[in-house]
Every structure is written in C-alpha cells, then in structure tokens.
C-alpha cells in the first residue's frame, strides 16, 4: 500500500465530476487500500477518489474509534430520508478549517462492494454526514460551497497563502 497525495482547495481538479466504475479488478482493490491508508494517515474519517485525483465514483469511510470498520462504497447513490440538522464538518482537502453545515440526519445508501456485489443500508448521525460529504466530492462539490461567499473566500485566501509558504 502507499500514501496518495490529497488535493487541497482551491485546486480546480476537486471540481471534476467523477465517472462510474465498471471494472472491478486488482487495480480497484489497490486503489481502495491506498485510499484507506491515506485517510487513516491524514488522519480522517472519509475520503473520496476525487480528492486523490482519481475521478471515479469511489469513497471510503471509517468513523470507528478503532479504525477497523471501513466502508468501501463504489458508485454510491443516496436517498435522503431524515430531517435536516447542523453539524461541524472539516475536510482533508480543506485542512485546518471546520464549519457548521446542514445535512440530513438519515440516509439510505445503495452502492457496490469492491467485488461488484450490491450493498444497501441506512446510515444516520456521523456516518450519514460523512457519506453525504464524500458523495459531494464525487459531484465536484466541497463543504465550503455550503458557506457564505465571505467565509469561502476567507478560507480560500488563507489556504493559498499557506500553500505558497509550504512550496
């Protein structure tokens, strides 16, 4: 396994809409393993393939404290079924920033396993928020898009300045 480079906002590649996965082979398995390793190392609780510059509909999520209960979701589709609620979110592509975002508290998920078999389940609370957040990445959307233009620009300017200092 190897660590992947996580794109940082405002990198325009984060705005790329991901394409469906059709090949369920060894390269897909390796990619998801590398994504999990990258997510755990960051450390984070979710990562979309878009964030590592792979524009396929793949997300990995693990909200467990023991970091041993990962969800690997290929071509995920969500049905939003809960009530709206506000929760603080952060993002590995927007490091160091946490803001309140409105999401739905419960969702129904339909996705494929790494072997191409179907998986359907309901998620609530933090798991539901995390899956919604990662699925947004597959559409080229970031949590900062839920913020006011003023907040979004402030974050953008700070990250650009930080990236220049680190270059």
């Amino acid at each position: 396994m190897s660590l992947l480079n996580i794109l940082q906002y405002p990198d325009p590649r984060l705005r790329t809409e991901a394409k469906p996965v059709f090949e369920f082979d060894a390269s897909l398995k390796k990619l998801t393993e590398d994504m999990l390793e990258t997510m755990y190392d960051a450390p984070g609780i979710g990562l979309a393939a878009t964030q590592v510059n792979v524009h396929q509909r793949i997300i990995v999520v693990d909200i467990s404290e023991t970091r041993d209960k990962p969800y690997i979701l290929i071509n995920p589709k969500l049905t939003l079924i809960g009530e709206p609620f506000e929760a603080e979110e952060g993002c590995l592509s927007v490091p160091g920033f946490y803001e309140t975002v409105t999401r739905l508290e419960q969702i129904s998920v339909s996705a494929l396993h790494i072997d191409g078999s179907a998986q359907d389940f309901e998620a609530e609370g933090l798991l539901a928020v995390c899956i919604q957040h990662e699925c947004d990445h597959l559409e080229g959307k970031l949590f900062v898009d839920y913020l006011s233009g003023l907040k979004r620009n402030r974050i953008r300017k700070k990250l650009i300045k930080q990236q220049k200092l680190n270059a």
Side-chain angles (χ1 to χ4, degrees):
M1 293 193 294
S2 59
L3 293 178
L4 304 170
N5 181 49
I6 298 173
L7 301 176
Q8 290 191 3
Y9 178 72
D11 191 311
R13 294 172 291 182
L14 290 167
R15 299 302 185 173
T16 305
E17 189 173 331
K19 305 285 186 222
V21 173
F22 296 107
E23 297 289 326
F24 294 83
D25 55 14
S27 65
L28 178 64
K29 184 172 181 1
K30 175 159 181 12
L31 173 61
T32 59
E33 289 171 352
D34 290 347
M35 286 175 63
L36 284 167
E37 183 179 4
T38 301
M39 177 188 74
Y40 291 134
D41 182 72
I45 60 171
L47 186 67
T50 302
Q51 292 176 273
V52 294
N53 201 28
V54 175
H55 304 288
Q56 294 183 299
R57 299 188 68 77
I58 305 165
I59 67 171
V60 296
V61 173
D62 188 345
I63 63 165
S64 69
E65 289 186 26
T66 52
R67 301 170 76 163
D68 62 353
K69 294 179 179 65
Y71 288 82
I72 298 170
L73 305 177
I74 313 296
N75 300 334
K77 293 180 182 163
L78 307 182
T79 303
L80 307 172
I81 55 178
E83 296 297 317
F85 80 111
E86 292 184 341
E88 189 174 73
E89 289 187 27
C91 181
L92 296 177
S93 292
V94 189
F97 292 91
Y98 300 88
E99 295 288 342
T100 301
V101 175
T102 301
R103 300 276 186 189
L104 292 185
E105 65 184 351
Q106 188 176 8
I107 59 173
S108 177
V109 180
S110 179
L112 300 175
H113 284 285
I114 193 74
D115 63 4
S117 63
Q119 58 178 321
D120 297 292
F121 61 95
E122 288 191 4
E124 59 186 34
L126 180 58
L127 181 58
V129 167
C130 190
I131 291 172
Q132 289 172 78
H133 175 111
E134 299 311 328
C135 284
D136 274 355
H137 280 296
L138 301 179
E139 303 301 325
K141 188 172 185 177
L142 290 100
F143 90 98
V144 295
D145 296 336
Y146 291 93
L147 307 177
S148 70
L150 183 65
K151 278 187 178 179
R152 189 171 42 255
N153 281 335
R154 179 180 50 87
I155 291 169
R156 186 179 150 285
K157 287 177 183 177
K158 285 184 179 181
L159 283 174
I160 288 171
K161 184 178 179 181
Q162 183 179 335
Q163 290 164 10
K164 286 181 182 176
L165 291 173
N166 294 338

